[in-house]
Amino acid sequence: MAIHYPNGKAYESGKQTAEDAVNYGGRGMTLEAELNASNQYYRAAKRAVIYKKPTPIQIVKVDYPQRSQAVIKEAYFKTPSTTDYNGVYQGYYVDFDAKETKNRQSFPLKNFHPHQVRHLNACLEQGGICFALIRFVTLNRLFVYPVSDLNRWWAESLKNGRKSIPLKAIETAGFELHPKLQPLIPYLDGVDWLIKTKRGTENG
Amino acid sequence: MAIHYPNGKAYESGKQTAEDAVNYGGRGMTLEAELNASNQYYRAAKRAVIYKKPTPIQIVKVDYPQRSQAVIKEAYFKTPSTTDYNGVYQGYYVDFDAKETKNRQSFPLKNFHPHQVRHLNACLEQGGICFALIRFVTLNRLFVYPVSDLNRWWAESLKNGRKSIPLKAIETAGFELHPKLQPLIPYLDGVDWLIKTKRGTENG
């Protein structure tokens, strides 16, 4: 069964054009566009001020043509030191990364970089609300998943345990989001849940 | 009199090499390098998790040479929508921008972009700790200056009033920082002061 968004458009996660790859570094394309729209909605509605950070670029060569703006002629994508999204919501610091998988049964931990997990935990220690936004593309299911729970699977994988989080564990420990018209991804519902249950603010 | 930092190096604000201009978009070079070192120190000491956001770049053309990483061949600097620095400190969302002037008597408001002032106020409304870090380069004086006070001068300038903030007003409403060895810019002292006096969290 094809699952459709409230706007009638089927969700197209696998599609990625060459242009998209250029603009977004090829990472989490459709999810990113939907999150950008959701963040814009939340800002306009004065619900929260959350942005995606720009992709870090190592600039090597810049030309300064006369009477015009600087042109970057050689640059490379850098590995980000942090997660992609952060901001403020009702006095809380919010920090998350968005990830997708085409798997149906589990979420592969290789989607996380060690520095991202470290960063989320460092923010958690400072009292931030930290989570992963995980989409099961094929199932069209989307979860706010607390870092405290991610940590348990991450630790197990480092001890040569399983390298993925079962969907069942994410269903149990996470908060399922249901797409709306505005915002497309109502992830603040999950943030409210994290605040209420303290799951995003404690190492569990 | 030349004022020296604790490491014995004179403060060199005006110097900016071509390479610096390339790496940092030519904005607030020395102050940026000192803040990056200070943020690194605060993170290592687990005092706070605060980063400079990457400079936003509009990518136009990317080459994908075989067997090697993507090379950006044409790109342009974009105007950021937010301030440069944000993160989390003891449960508080911290957001600020760093600015320098060579003036001795006042800080010109043209150093702020309207979208930066809007962003700082939007974060303030959400309960963030928001300020400008202002350096008087020639005087070698550095202040944490609350957005609530900046707003008064900003509003006056829009009503065709004066276009700068007198140093005296910044001395009165701000918190002066004194460079240390570690961190070079101990701006969390000013954040503590903002939290204690609520100057960073209220529209004054």
Side-chain angles (χ1 to χ4, degrees):
Chain A
M1 185 187 106
I3 299 169
H4 286 75
Y5 267 29
N7 62 6
K9 254 179 61 183
Y11 174 61
E12 298 174 335
S13 164
K15 283 202 186 175
Q16 200 178 78
T17 65
E19 195 190 355
D20 294 337
V22 166
N23 286 330
Y24 297 94
R27 292 172 296 102
M29 178 47 216
T30 304
L31 189 53
E32 175 174 324
E34 288 179 26
L35 277 169
N36 285 347
S38 304
N39 285 337
Q40 206 171 357
Y41 171 82
Y42 279 140
R43 289 195 303 269
K46 294 182 186 287
R47 293 279 312 277
V49 182
I50 295 169
Y51 282 89
K52 183 187 176 291
K53 293 187 185 177
T55 305
I57 306 280
Q58 180 66 50
I59 297 167
V60 175
K61 190 171 166 240
V62 181
D63 276 3
Y64 298 93
Q66 281 199 326
R67 286 166 195 270
S68 92
Q69 64 177 343
V71 187
I72 298 162
K73 293 301 233 178
E74 185 185 351
Y76 299 88
F77 294 104
K78 283 202 293 188
T79 308
S81 346
T82 68
T83 47
D84 272 354
Y85 299 88
N86 78 352
V88 59
Y89 168 60
Q90 294 186 357
Y92 290 98
Y93 173 79
V94 173
D95 196 299
F96 66 100
D97 223 305
K99 307 282 188 192
E100 288 182 312
T101 183
K102 289 183 181 167
N103 286 16
R104 293 164 174 274
Q105 304 285 344
S106 67
F107 184 81
L109 284 163
K110 68 172 193 296
N111 283 286
F112 287 100
H113 300 294
H115 62 265
Q116 290 178 322
V117 178
R118 271 197 300 273
H119 172 77
L120 285 166
N121 276 286
C123 292
L124 201 61
E125 275 181 47
Q126 287 295 329
I129 307 289
C130 307
F131 59 93
L133 193 81
I134 293 180
R135 174 174 266 161
F136 286 87
V137 173
T138 317
L139 308 172
N140 201 21
R141 295 183 68 185
L142 188 63
F143 296 89
V144 163
Y145 182 63
V147 174
S148 51
D149 207 77
L150 168 63
N151 283 336
R152 287 166 37 203
W153 296 97
W154 187 260
E156 193 179 312
S157 80
L158 295 180
K159 288 182 287 188
N160 292 316
R162 66 176 287 164
K163 306 292 181 207
S164 65
I165 313 169
L167 171 59
K168 282 227 174 302
I170 295 172
E171 283 174 333
T172 306
F175 181 93
E176 185 156 9
L177 297 175
H178 300 286
K180 292 185 194 172
L181 194 57
Q182 287 277 40
L184 275 173
I185 299 181
Y187 67 84
L188 286 183
D189 297 354
V191 172
D192 284 334
W193 170 81
L194 285 168
I195 292 167
K196 219 165 60 186
T197 61
K198 302 240 183 180
R199 279 173 215 235
T201 56
E202 281 174 357
N203 259 294
Chain B
M1 185 188 104
I3 299 170
H4 287 75
Y5 267 29
N7 61 5
K9 255 180 58 185
Y11 174 62
E12 297 172 337
S13 165
K15 283 201 185 174
Q16 201 178 78
T17 65
E19 196 190 354
D20 294 337
V22 166
N23 287 329
Y24 298 94
R27 290 170 299 103
M29 176 47 215
T30 304
L31 188 53
E32 176 174 324
E34 288 180 26
L35 276 170
N36 285 347
S38 304
N39 285 337
Q40 207 170 358
Y41 171 82
Y42 280 140
R43 289 194 303 269
K46 295 183 184 288
R47 293 281 312 279
V49 182
I50 295 169
Y51 282 89
K52 183 187 178 291
K53 293 187 186 177
T55 305
I57 306 280
Q58 180 67 50
I59 297 168
V60 175
K61 189 170 166 242
V62 182
D63 275 5
Y64 298 93
Q66 281 200 324
R67 286 165 195 271
S68 91
Q69 65 180 38
V71 187
I72 299 161
K73 293 301 234 180
E74 185 185 350
Y76 299 88
F77 293 105
K78 283 201 294 189
T79 308
S81 346
T82 68
T83 47
D84 273 353
Y85 299 89
N86 78 352
V88 59
Y89 168 59
Q90 295 184 359
Y92 290 98
Y93 173 78
V94 174
D95 196 298
F96 66 99
D97 222 306
K99 307 281 188 192
E100 289 183 311
T101 183
K102 289 181 180 167
N103 286 16
R104 292 163 175 274
Q105 305 285 344
S106 67
F107 183 81
L109 284 163
K110 69 172 193 297
N111 283 287
F112 288 100
H113 300 293
H115 62 265
Q116 291 178 322
V117 177
R118 271 196 300 272
H119 172 76
L120 285 166
N121 277 286
C123 293
L124 201 61
E125 274 180 46
Q126 286 295 329
I129 307 289
C130 306
F131 59 93
L133 192 81
I134 293 180
R135 175 174 265 161
F136 286 85
V137 173
T138 317
L139 309 171
N140 201 21
R141 294 183 69 185
L142 187 63
F143 296 89
V144 162
Y145 182 63
V147 175
S148 51
D149 208 76
L150 167 62
N151 281 337
R152 288 165 39 202
W153 297 97
W154 187 262
E156 194 180 312
S157 81
L158 295 180
K159 287 182 287 188
N160 291 316
R162 66 176 287 163
K163 306 292 180 206
S164 65
I165 313 169
L167 170 58
K168 281 224 175 304
I170 295 172
E171 284 175 333
T172 306
F175 182 92
E176 184 156 10
L177 297 175
H178 299 285
K180 291 186 195 172
L181 194 55
Q182 289 275 43
L184 276 172
I185 300 181
Y187 67 84
L188 287 183
D189 297 354
V191 172
D192 284 334
W193 170 80
L194 284 169
I195 292 169
K196 218 165 63 186
T197 61
K198 302 240 182 178
R199 280 174 214 233
T201 55
E202 281 174 359
N203 260 294

